[in-house]
Each structure stands twice: as structure tokens, then as C-alpha cells.
Amino acid sequence: MRASTYPLVDAEEAAGLVLDRTPVLPSERVALGEAAGRVLAQDMRAPSALPAFPSSAVDGFAARSADAGKTLRVVGESAAGRPFTGTLQPGTAARILTGGAVPDGADTVVMVEDVSVDVVTVPSNLQPGTNFHRPGADVRAGELVLRAGTQLGAAELGLAAALGFANVDVYRRPRVALMSTGDELVEVGQEPGPGQIVDSNRWALLAALREAGADVTSLGIAPDQREALRSVVGGALEAADVLVTSGGVSVGTHDLVKPLLESLGTVHVGRVKLKPGKPFTFATLPQGKLAFGLPGFPVSSLVTFEVFVRPALRKLQGFAKLQRPTLPVRLGYDARATADRTEYQRVTLIRQGSELVAQTTGSQSSSRLLSLAGAQALVRIAPGDQGVKAGTVVEAMILSLP
Ligand code: AMP
Ligand code: MG
């Protein structure tokens, strides 16, 4: 063992440093069918109004409000997609179906329930402008409907289609090469021999990366050997924007990831005042590529993913909002602090009246994935020897709400 030469960087400072060095990827044009979950690269403006024509909200009769109280002659029909042609004259009405265009000359629609059908006698209180959607009532022509940086979900894609956009400009997804390191690792499904363990980080990180929008290539398990590591990484970096590794970043003699990243690019963060996750390593590589050396302990790798990698992946793909939402929560337990490191404690949340109360998920050991499985938030406990007493309101990074 040797002492690490890397300065201990404050956790917030390290997170800022990562984002400062993270570029935004170029955009590409994709068909709507491929656009779900992608991030819009340009503001979307409505080329025309929605609805484009006055469209009936009900089944009934299109009429002129000036004819209120009169009996009208039915002169035709306007169904959805089959409009009435011509102009509605005084004393006449047109049968209209939901979605049908309100004919020229008409300024109102009477619901079918409000007339007797053989002879269309319209109510005497007939008002103009009732029972139809005015052009532009939903979207005005030229209106800014979606901002760049918005993730495209069901409603956004429906809106894009309604406005006639068959394709949209979205940011490219980050291509991530994912590798586990460690001579002790075996593939899941294989029986670990003496001293061996199953590689679980790769599956945890694969899920976390995909959830964050990355396109992941798995490089498998690399041994703790300088040349083997270098050849696995070297080949993969051609196609990747980001390298994510787990293990091999602490100060043991078999920890070769930091020297590897140093030889490939520039290491900006080699240790952080964070628990779990002190050996977190961040480097930039040529051509704007990024490398994250996550610690080997399973909870450490996922917590450092949350704090450093996920926001960077969101920046790469153009998200306007990089961070998880935070909410004030009341601590339901006495949280002990770590003297010199910010601690992210895993908690579940319970609703109590209008408040959220955080309960610890139990032992916060960095090897204990059960502290993170089912956790709904990460509570940030500042360094010191005080800790935070039960009942105190703290900000929590929300993973999922109860
Ligand atoms: P390291 O950072 O390489 O010293 O790893 C620290 C510890 O994390 C190791 O002793 C393993 O117990 C554990 N570990 C490392 N890599 C993995 C992995 N891919 N999956 C599960 N546990 C791991
Ligand atoms: Mg190792």
C-alpha cells in the first residue's frame, strides 16, 4: 500500500468540476417513432394554430346565434373530415358531429340534446361561441410549445405529430463503455471459487446508465493487469464518448485504473470527501471523452454514479435539468456524520400528514446493496462530529416518491 497523492476534493466541488468539463453532444434528426425519451435539441414552435379550424366539441347543430329561439331548416351536415361546403344562411342549421368544422356563417353549436330533432328549434338563450373549439384555442400559430432540453414523452410526441413534425432534432445519446475490474470477479451464473465474488457492479451500472439515457457497450471483466486493462479500454474508446469502470481506484497495489487514466488523459479528481465513494476518479480523455473510475464497493459505485455520472450523462444529452429533484424531509432517525466527508445516507420515505419522513435503510456499509435497494432518497449529511438529530428537516435527493 502507498498513500494516495491525490488531494481530497470537496464533493460539491468535484461534481461542479465534472460538469464543467462535460460537453453537450451533437444533435441528430430522428423519426417520431425513435424519439421517445430523447431530449429536444431545438425549441419547437407551432407552424400553425391548433385547432386549425373551428371544430365542434359536441354532436348537434351548427347555427347562427342571431337565430336564437327560431325554428331552423337543416340544410346539410358537417362530420369530422367531411365539412359542410358553403356558407350557412339565416334561418338554417347544419347537422354537426364532434370534430366537424363549424361552417362559415355559423357562430355557435347547439347540442343535440337541446333541440327537437325533426324541427330544429334552437333555444332562445342561444349564445355565440358555444360548444366548439376556436382556431388557435389549444396552440396559437408561432407559439413556443416545447423548449430545447425537454425530454420527449407521450404528450410531447403527440404534440409534435399534431403540429406536423414527422422528425425531430434530438441530442445524441451518450455511448458508454462499461467495464468491471478485479481479479476476484466472476461472471454471474458462474460458481465463485475460493476468494472470488460475482461481478454485480456491471449489472447495477448497466441499469443505471440505461435509465440515464446512455447507449451502453459492456466490456466485461478486466483483470488487475496493466496491459490487459489498457488493451480492453483502448479498443473500446474508439466508439465511446464515456468510459465507466468499477473497482481498481483505491490505493492498493492492484489498483491500476488511476495510472491507466493518467496515461490516457488528465485525471481531475482522484479522491473526494464523500462517503461512500472516496476513491471516485474522474478524467478527461482526448476528443472530449470522459472517464469515470467508480469505486469497487457496490454501494459506492452506485452512489458516485448518482452524484457525479448521472448529471454528466444528462448534460451530454442536452437535458435542461441535470439533477434529481430535492425535497425537504424530516429525519426519522439520528444521523451520525463522518468527520471529514459528506455522507449520502440511503433512506425510505413515509408520508406523515403534509410531510415526508425519512427512515434509514439500516446498515450503511458500502458493500451492503440492501441499503440502496428500495431506497427512495439520498440524504446529505454534512461532515463534522455533530450529526443530525431525528426531527430535523434536511434536503433529500429524491429517487422515487412513496
Ligand atoms: P476495489 O475498489 O477494486 O478495491 O474494490 C473494492 C471491493 O469492491 C472489492 O474488494 C470487492 O469486494 C468489491 N467489488 C469490486 N468490484 C466489484 C464488482 N464488479 N461487483 C461486486 N463487487 C465488487
Ligand atoms: Mg479491485
Side-chain angles (χ1 to χ4, degrees), residues 169-187:
D169 290 330
V170 294
Y171 291 103
R172 186 157 72 63
R173 286 189 186 282
R175 299 184 191 120
V176 178
L178 173 64
M179 176 178 76
S180 295
T181 71
D183 286 338
E184 75 279 31
L185 301 177
V186 297
E187 280 290 351

Side-chain angles (χ1 to χ4, degrees), residues 181-184 224 246-250 254-255 296:
T181 71
D183 286 338
E184 75 279 31
D224 292 319
S246 77
V249 282
S250 46
H254 295 296
D255 296 314

Side-chain angles (χ1 to χ4, degrees), residues 361-394:
T361 53
S363 161
Q364 300 286 299
S365 162
S366 57
S367 63
R368 186 173 171 267
L369 271 177
L370 277 177
S371 72
L372 199 49
Q376 289 163 314
L378 301 178
V379 167
R380 204 177 139 275
I381 304 295
D385 41 31
Q386 303 293 333
V388 185
K389 285 265 166 282
T392 312
V393 172
V394 295

Side-chain angles (χ1 to χ4, degrees), residues 14-36:
L17 229 141
V18 169
L19 285 179
D20 285 348
R21 288 180 162 70
T22 301
V24 177
L25 291 172
S27 63
E28 58 190 6
R29 185 158 290 191
V30 300
L32 285 189
E34 307 302 314

Side-chain angles (χ1 to χ4, degrees), residues 56-69:
S56 185
V58 297
D59 292 337
F61 292 88
R64 306 165 68 103
S65 56
D67 285 338

Side-chain angles (χ1 to χ4, degrees), residues 25 28 36-39 151 171-178 204-218 239-244 290 292 305 309-319:
L25 291 172
E28 58 190 6
R38 304 292 294 272
V39 182
Q151 189 174 29
Y171 291 103
R172 186 157 72 63
R173 286 189 186 282
R175 299 184 191 120
V176 178
L178 173 64
L205 290 169
L206 177 66
L209 285 162
R210 285 193 175 148
E211 188 274 336
D215 205 345
V216 188
T217 303
S218 176
D241 306 303
V242 180
L243 172 70
V244 173
L290 308 177
F292 296 92
F305 178 89
V309 186
R310 190 176 182 277
L313 291 172
R314 288 174 70 87
K315 181 166 180 194
L316 282 164
Q317 62 194 300
F319 271 97

